[in-house]
Structure formats: structure tokens, C-alpha cells
Amino acid sequence: MAEDVEKTDIELEGVSSATMAKLKKAGLSTYESIAVTPSREIEELTGMGADTAQKVMQLARVKVDLGFIPATQVLEKRMHMLKCNTGSPDLNRILGGGIETDAITELIGEFGSGKTQICFTLSVLAQLPVDQGGFGSKVCVIDTEGTFLPERIKQIAEARGLDSNTILQNVLVARAYNSEHQTILIKNLPQIVHEHNAKLVIVDSMIGHFRGEFIGRGTLSDRQQKIGSCLAALLRVAEAFSLAVVLTNQVQAKPDTSYGDPNKPTGGHVMAHACTHRVYLRKGKENTRIATIIDSPYLPEEKARFGVDAAGVVGCEQ
Ligand code: GTP
Ligand code: MG
């Protein structure tokens, strides 16, 4: 059995099996994940020397052919990107079809705005087959606030006529107790998503621990650098494994606002730049929620209204 654990599925010419085992143990178990990880990070994760790290990264890059390709091929790849149903047709519409793979979607909003409810619903709906709006895969969840409730997942699955036991079985949850723990879980994602073929990764919430632990201006650059490194790792996972990453983020009051919404997302520019699509959520009339796309490379700034009930996120007919 021990041998099985050590064995790696991939090979790089001229690289010893001991080195390959170190890579696998560090969660770098595919050519893609090695190719897209900076060699300095490979060194840190595996404890191997700089030359070896550089060599394995370059060899892995040759395997996955990371170079220039015609834009037609990029378009072809993008046309095959999957979109996961959120439970609300209107929210899907403003997201260009749903939660997209190869990208990070950030859900921003104050407490009770529906961030975690969207995460619960996606954890169920992503498991449905592709022709039913899902990814047909397992889901990985990093829960930093202890708010990820299996009972709610069960309720959502049952309200949708699904077998809640199977659904719960396929949601892999890790509770992150502090920012360092969260960082380790994120850096280990390549191994987990590869092993379980997960197509959706959720981090609820991304910034909470960092905000709580790095207090005072003197710690700001350290904090932002650490958040940035986590976000870069998440984007690499999204692209290397063609999966969707969904992050939640709270808002903080801006003291200097004289008009408009006085709340802004936490995490500053690092968060703003790393996330592909940013969705701002707020409470609407009669227990509805309003989502607005606030920053996306190609989605227009549109609004959608959705509801939350026993089935999780649902449409809300006006
Ligand atoms: P924070 O994590 O505190 O920042 O908030 P959040 O944005 O994650 O809030 P969350 O998604 O947990 O939304 C909570 C709200 O969802 C509650 O206040 C309820 O209005 C609604 N909600 C949660 N569960 C149910 C349910 O079973 N039925 C209905 N109708 N609404 C629910
Ligand atoms: Mg929440």
C-alpha cells in the first residue's frame, strides 16, 4: 500500500522517481500544475534545490506546450468552457450563462446578502450532469467561517428531488482555522482536485482570516502579499484543471463616502485584480437579493434579482 501512495502517474525525462514523489506529495501531481507553478514555489513546497525545481518546471512546460497559439484555438477552448447553473435564470443570464470554468468568480456582499447560499446551491447543482447545467463533478469547499452546513446542502438537494446522501458524499469540505491553514489548503488543491476530478472549488470566505489576523497598517503589505499568493495559486488551479473557483468576500464601510454605496469589498487591489468576475450582492425587496456584475473583462454591468428558499438560490418572477 505504501508503494501505491508513493507512485506517481506522470514522468519527466531524467528526473528521478524520488523527485517525482516529492512533487506529488506537494500536490504537484500533473504536468499542468508543475508547469504553471513558479520554480521558487516548487522549491518551497518540495524542499528540492533551485536547479532541480527549474528543471522540472521547464520539462513540464514542454509536456503541456505552454506557448503562443492562434486566437482561433483560444476561442475554440473558450467555446467549450462549462457554465454552472446558479439556480436563478436571471443570475445565470448576467453571468453569461452561469459560473464559468477557468476563472475566479467573486461574490461580494454584506452579511446575509446570500453569498453562502449561492455556495451551497452551487455545491449541489455543480454535481448535476453537463446537460442539466452542472459540471458532473465533485466540489471542494474551503470553509473559513464554520458556516458550511451539511444540513442546508441536504435540504437543497432534497427540495430539488436529488439523493442528498450522494450529493453530500461528493462535497469535500475542509475547515480552515486560520490564514496559514487556509493557505496550505489552497496550495494543496492541485492534488485534491486531481484526485477527485473536482470542477468547482469554493472558498467561503477568502479574506476573513487575513483581516482578523493582520491588524494595523504595518502589517498591510505582508497581508496583501500573502492574499496575492493564495489568489495566484487559485487562478493557476482554475486554469490548469479547467475548473471554476468561487470566492466570497465581505464589504467594509468606507468612512469617506458622501454619496452612493458606502461599502467596498475587502482585500483591496490584490483581490480586485485577481478575480475574473466580481458579483456584488445586496438584499432587495420582499426577501429577494439583487446581484450586479461590477467588474468583468467581458460581462456588462447588469443587474439580476433572485430568491432564496428551501431549494437554495431560485429564480424570482416579477
Ligand atoms: P455572511 O457570511 O454573514 O457575510 O453572509 P452571507 O452573504 O453568506 O449570507 P447567507 O448566504 O448565509 O444568507 C443568509 C440569508 O439567507 C438568511 O438571512 C435568509 O434570509 C436566507 N436563507 C438562509 N436559509 C434559508 C432558507 O432555508 N430559506 C429561506 N427562505 N431563506 C434562507
Ligand atoms: Mg456566509
Side-chain angles (χ1 to χ4, degrees), residues 41 68 99 101 112 139 141 148-150 197 202 211 232 236 279:
E41 208 162 299
F68 288 92
I99 300 288
T101 57
V139 178
V141 179
F148 213 83
L149 299 174
N197 193 24
I202 293 170
R211 271 185 86 197
R236 283 200 299 270
V279 184

Side-chain angles (χ1 to χ4, degrees), residues 60-247:
R61 281 192 180 169
V62 172
K63 292 270 186 196
V64 295
D65 190 20
L66 292 179
F68 288 92
I69 53 166
T72 45
Q73 269 183 42
V74 182
L75 183 63
E76 174 75 15
K77 187 176 178 221
R78 290 188 57 81
M79 280 164 64
H80 289 108
M81 260 171 15
L82 300 175
K83 310 268 173 104
C84 184
N85 174 21
T86 59
S88 153
D90 210 19
L91 183 54
N92 292 345
R93 176 184 58 80
I94 65 165
L95 285 166
I99 300 288
E100 174 177 284
T101 57
D102 297 73
I104 298 180
T105 303
E106 180 191 3
L107 307 173
I108 304 159
E110 61 175 357
F111 65 93
S113 58
K115 303 181 295 292
T116 300
Q117 298 304 315
I118 296 179
C119 295
F120 287 142
T121 311
L122 288 171
S123 300
V124 174
L125 295 180
Q127 297 186 37
L128 294 177
V130 172
D131 62 6
Q132 291 174 35
F135 294 151
S137 79
K138 291 188 188 180
V139 178
C140 285
V141 179
I142 298 178
D143 173 20
T144 72
E145 297 179 331
T147 52
F148 213 83
L149 299 174
E151 294 88 334
R152 182 68 173 127
I153 300 266
K154 185 168 184 274
Q155 182 191 31
I156 294 172
E158 282 169 4
R160 292 173 181 271
L162 302 167
D163 175 35
S164 58
N165 209 24
T166 312
I167 295 285
L168 285 170
Q169 199 77 41
N170 290 330
V171 182
L172 305 162
V173 192
R175 171 81 166 97
Y177 292 98
N178 56 50
S179 67
E180 273 175 48
H181 189 200
Q182 180 181 339
T183 305
I184 293 169
L185 291 168
I186 288 173
K187 300 276 163 102
N188 284 342
L189 278 171
Q191 187 173 11
I192 306 298
V193 299
H194 175 64
E195 222 168 84
H196 296 277
N197 193 24
K199 289 283 171 206
L200 173 64
V201 168
I202 293 170
V203 185
D204 184 16
S205 72
M206 181 64 209
I207 307 291
H209 282 317
F210 291 94
R211 271 185 86 197
E213 291 167 32
F214 293 78
I215 300 161
R217 283 205 89 66
T219 62
L220 191 64
S221 71
D222 190 20
R223 177 183 92 175
Q224 292 307 91
Q225 189 263 328
K226 289 193 158 82
I227 294 173
S229 155
C230 282
L231 291 168
L234 284 164
L235 192 57
R236 283 200 299 270
V237 169
E239 291 183 350
F241 295 93
S242 283
L243 57 77
V245 171
V246 172
L247 309 179

